[in-house]
């Protein structure tokens, strides 16, 4: 990251077309990029005369998407100092800037405002406990007044901004709904997963972004339910992590097999009842094969993307650390998502879904409808900005 930040201005000087019109998108990491991606791609289609600059703060975003074909230039954003900001903006001279969700860079934003460049905050969401809304946070709140307009996810965010004198706010929802619908339309068929699922008539439980804290909750249950196929995509894919998980599964009487083994050998052990995904990039397509989906992170730092499962019409189960995620609150309210807080509540929830097919399908339809009803934020934002 340090090296990439130092090279960013040099990269711009080499690649920037001085006669082009640039739209700048900044995402902290990969998650924010996925949130901004439908906006980038829609802008490409509707305004092909504009070029796209995409910047990242985190290596987890840049290293994965540095060759993203939807942008003309991809680089790191140098640290937020006055000198860095002036050099960077002098090199690119953007005509419009989009900061995704939680990005508030003091010097960049003040210089953009001084240069009268329109700056938009996209899919942002605000909470009472953020420093901007504390009695001692007025100095921090000044940076928010550099934005031309906020496109927020909910009414609460609009009200919080209004309370500190910011009224240039529109509730457009979350652009991730557009993204997961795009992913669904372009989803791959996965022959290895299909072979695993279709070789018997057992229901399939799919876990996305699994952490060990999640496994402490759901794995003991399946020692008593051998009739269920399990597919697990761990959040971190490494041989050491997968080997530890395979040992744990065997100790519970499960018979795990790795995805690469099924894919490469074109055969599958008929006794295998658990498939471990040992590569990245498949999860959003794997959910289509679920009867029930579980999304990890809710017993740790925070919930991962539940919309990727919901778009397929699957009931989605997740842990209790979800208060900061609007989609989790909405999914619980509509009946498409279910929170579990311990092994007992997990057993109660999964027993209900496995043993009642009608209830399972109804929950899945509610999840799917929720995604469909909240799509369209990208187009609403572009209609406003252009």
């Amino acid at each position: 990251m340090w090296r990439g930040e130092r090279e960013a201005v040099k990269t711009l000087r080499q690649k920037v077309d001085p006669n082009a019109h640039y739209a700048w998108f900044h995402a902290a990491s990969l998650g924010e990029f996925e949130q901004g991606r439908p906006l980038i791609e829609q802008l490409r289609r509707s305004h092909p005369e504009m070029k796209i600059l995409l910047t990242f703060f985190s290596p987890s975003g840049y290293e994965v998407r540095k060759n993203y074909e939807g942008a003309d230039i991809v680089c790191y954003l140098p640290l937020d100092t006055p000198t860095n900001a002036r050099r960077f903006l002098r090199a690119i001279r953007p005509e419009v800037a989009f900061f995704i969700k939680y990005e508030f860079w003091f010097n960049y934003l003040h210089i953009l405002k001084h240069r009268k460049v329109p700056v938009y905050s996209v899919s942002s969401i605000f909470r009472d406990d953020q420093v901007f809304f504390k009695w001692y946070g007025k100095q921090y709140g000044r940076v928010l007044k550099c934005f031309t307009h906020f496109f927020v996810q909910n009414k609460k965010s609009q009200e919080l901004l209004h309370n500190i004198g910011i009224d240039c706010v529109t509730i457009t929802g979350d652009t991730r709904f557009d993204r997961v619908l795009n992913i669904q339309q372009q989803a791959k068929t996965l022959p290895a997963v299909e072979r695993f699922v279709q070789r018997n008539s057992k229901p399939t439980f799919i876990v996305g972004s699994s952490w060990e804290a999640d496994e402490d909750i759901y794995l003991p249950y399946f020692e008593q339910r051998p009739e269920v196929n399990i597919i697990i995509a761990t959040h971190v894919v490494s041989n050491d992590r997968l080997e530890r998980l395979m040992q744990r599964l065997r100790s519970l009487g499960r018979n795990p097999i790795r995805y690469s083994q099924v894919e490469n050998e074109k055969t599958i052990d008929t006794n295998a009842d658990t498939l471990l995904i040992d590569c990245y990039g498949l999860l959003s397509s794997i959910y289509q094969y679920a009867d029930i989906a579980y999304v990890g992170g809710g017993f740790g730092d925070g919930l991962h993307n539940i919309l990727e499962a919901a778009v397929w019409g699957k009931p989605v189960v997740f842990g209790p650390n979800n208060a900061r995620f609007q989609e989790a609150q909405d999914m619980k309210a509509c009946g498409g998502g279910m929170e579990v807080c311990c092994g007992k509540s997990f057993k109660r929830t999964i027993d209900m879904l496995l043993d009642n097919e009608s209830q399972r399908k109804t929950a899945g339809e509610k999840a799917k409808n929720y995604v469909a009803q909240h799509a369209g934020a990208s187009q609403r934002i572009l209609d406003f900005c252009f």
Side-chain angles (χ1 to χ4, degrees):
M1 182 174 71
W2 176 78
R3 189 183 303 113
E5 288 175 353
R6 291 191 65 189
E7 293 174 353
V9 173
K10 179 181 176 182
T11 299
L12 291 180
R13 286 172 178 161
Q14 291 173 345
K15 294 186 176 181
V16 165
D17 178 352
N19 299 314
H21 306 279
Y22 282 93
W24 172 26
F25 288 82
H26 176 65
S29 190
L30 189 59
E32 288 78 11
F33 164 74
E34 290 296 329
Q35 217 158 8
R37 183 170 177 168
L39 197 60
I40 293 171
E41 294 177 357
Q42 214 146 319
L43 179 61
R44 270 278 204 221
R45 291 191 293 270
S46 59
H47 294 274
E49 74 281 2
M50 296 204 76
K51 289 186 177 291
I52 305 294
L53 165 68
L54 171 62
T55 59
F56 288 99
F57 173 70
S58 165
S60 64
Y62 175 78
E63 292 300 331
V64 176
R65 295 300 179 195
K66 59 187 176 184
N67 297 316
Y68 172 56
E69 294 180 353
D72 298 281
I73 304 172
V74 182
C75 66
Y76 282 102
L77 184 61
L79 289 176
D80 189 22
T81 67
T83 299
N84 281 348
R86 281 194 294 268
R87 290 173 63 214
F88 185 90
L89 293 171
R90 196 177 297 128
I92 186 67
R93 300 189 183 277
E95 295 192 2
V96 61
F98 296 89
F99 283 61
I100 312 300
K101 200 172 183 178
Y102 289 135
E103 290 299 279
F104 311 111
W105 292 59
F106 185 90
N107 292 297
Y108 284 93
L109 287 168
H110 276 85
I111 295 172
L112 285 166
K113 183 180 179 181
H114 176 74
R115 295 185 176 191
K116 296 182 171 54
V117 176
V119 186
Y120 302 104
S121 178
V122 175
S123 291
S124 44
I125 188 165
F126 294 95
R127 303 180 307 277
D128 294 298
D129 60 356
Q130 287 174 295
V131 67
F132 312 116
F133 312 113
K134 301 293 187 181
W135 63 267
Y136 53 81
K138 289 185 179 180
Q139 182 72 14
Y140 296 96
R142 285 175 52 202
V143 73
L144 300 182
K145 297 187 178 182
C146 292
F147 284 95
T148 306
H149 204 86
F150 288 87
F151 300 102
V152 298
Q153 293 189 33
N154 57 23
K155 187 168 181 60
K156 176 69 173 177
S157 298
Q158 184 183 47
E159 291 170 349
L160 286 168
L161 291 170
H162 174 75
N163 290 341
I164 60 171
I166 297 175
D167 294 313
C168 50
V169 184
T170 303
I171 303 170
T172 52
D174 192 340
T175 52
R176 283 185 304 161
F177 290 94
D178 301 329
R179 177 62 186 147
V180 296
L181 283 167
N182 290 342
I183 290 172
Q184 184 198 32
Q185 291 161 7
Q186 300 165 15
K188 314 165 188 174
T189 56
L190 304 171
V193 178
E194 286 185 353
R195 285 198 302 276
F196 177 78
V197 170
Q198 294 174 0
R199 69 206 159 84
N200 58 42
S201 57
K202 295 178 180 180
T204 301
F205 179 82
I206 293 181
V207 185
S209 298
S210 181
W211 293 82
E212 291 185 14
D214 299 295
E215 289 148 22
D216 291 340
I217 299 298
Y218 70 77
L219 282 184
Y221 172 85
F222 289 105
E223 185 176 15
Q224 309 301 321
R225 297 295 295 251
E227 76 278 13
V228 180
N229 292 320
I230 309 174
I231 300 176
I232 303 174
T234 57
H235 181 68
V236 176
V237 178
S238 69
N239 282 328
D240 181 60
R241 170 81 167 97
L242 293 169
E243 283 302 318
R244 290 201 311 273
L245 181 53
M246 290 183 81
Q247 290 175 12
R248 186 172 184 183
L249 286 161
R250 291 187 186 111
S251 73
L252 296 171
R254 305 292 299 191
N255 186 15
I257 192 169
R258 288 170 67 151
Y259 174 83
S260 57
Q261 184 179 344
V262 178
E263 186 181 41
N264 295 335
E265 296 180 5
K266 308 298 182 186
T267 60
I268 189 165
D269 181 352
T270 55
N271 295 317
D273 56 16
T274 306
L275 180 65
L276 299 186
I277 307 302
D278 52 2
C279 58
Y280 289 109
L282 302 182
L283 181 58
S284 57
S285 296
I286 288 173
Y287 283 126
Q288 66 187 294
Y289 301 105
D291 290 293
I292 302 167
Y294 177 96
V295 177
F299 285 93
D301 291 337
L303 188 62
H304 293 284
N305 192 345
I306 64 175
L307 299 179
E308 288 184 337
V311 73
W312 290 104
K314 312 299 179 181
V316 188
V317 182
F318 44 83
N321 189 0
N322 60 65
R324 294 184 292 112
F325 300 86
Q326 183 66 43
E327 66 275 16
Q329 307 312 305
D330 293 343
M331 288 268 285
K332 287 191 290 184
C334 77
M338 295 151 208
E339 177 185 312
V340 296
C341 61
C342 60
K344 286 184 179 179
S345 67
F346 179 85
K347 181 181 187 306
R348 188 165 55 247
T349 300
I350 303 304
D351 278 346
M352 177 268 293
L353 292 171
L354 285 175
D355 299 338
N356 190 326
E357 184 178 0
S358 173
Q359 202 159 353
R360 185 169 73 236
K361 288 185 175 179
T362 298
E365 281 300 311
K366 288 178 178 178
K368 184 177 183 177
N369 291 339
Y370 168 70
V371 175
Q373 290 164 7
H374 287 78
S378 302
Q379 190 59 59
R380 290 192 288 271
I381 291 168
L382 288 181
D383 287 345
F384 183 100
C385 297
F386 295 91

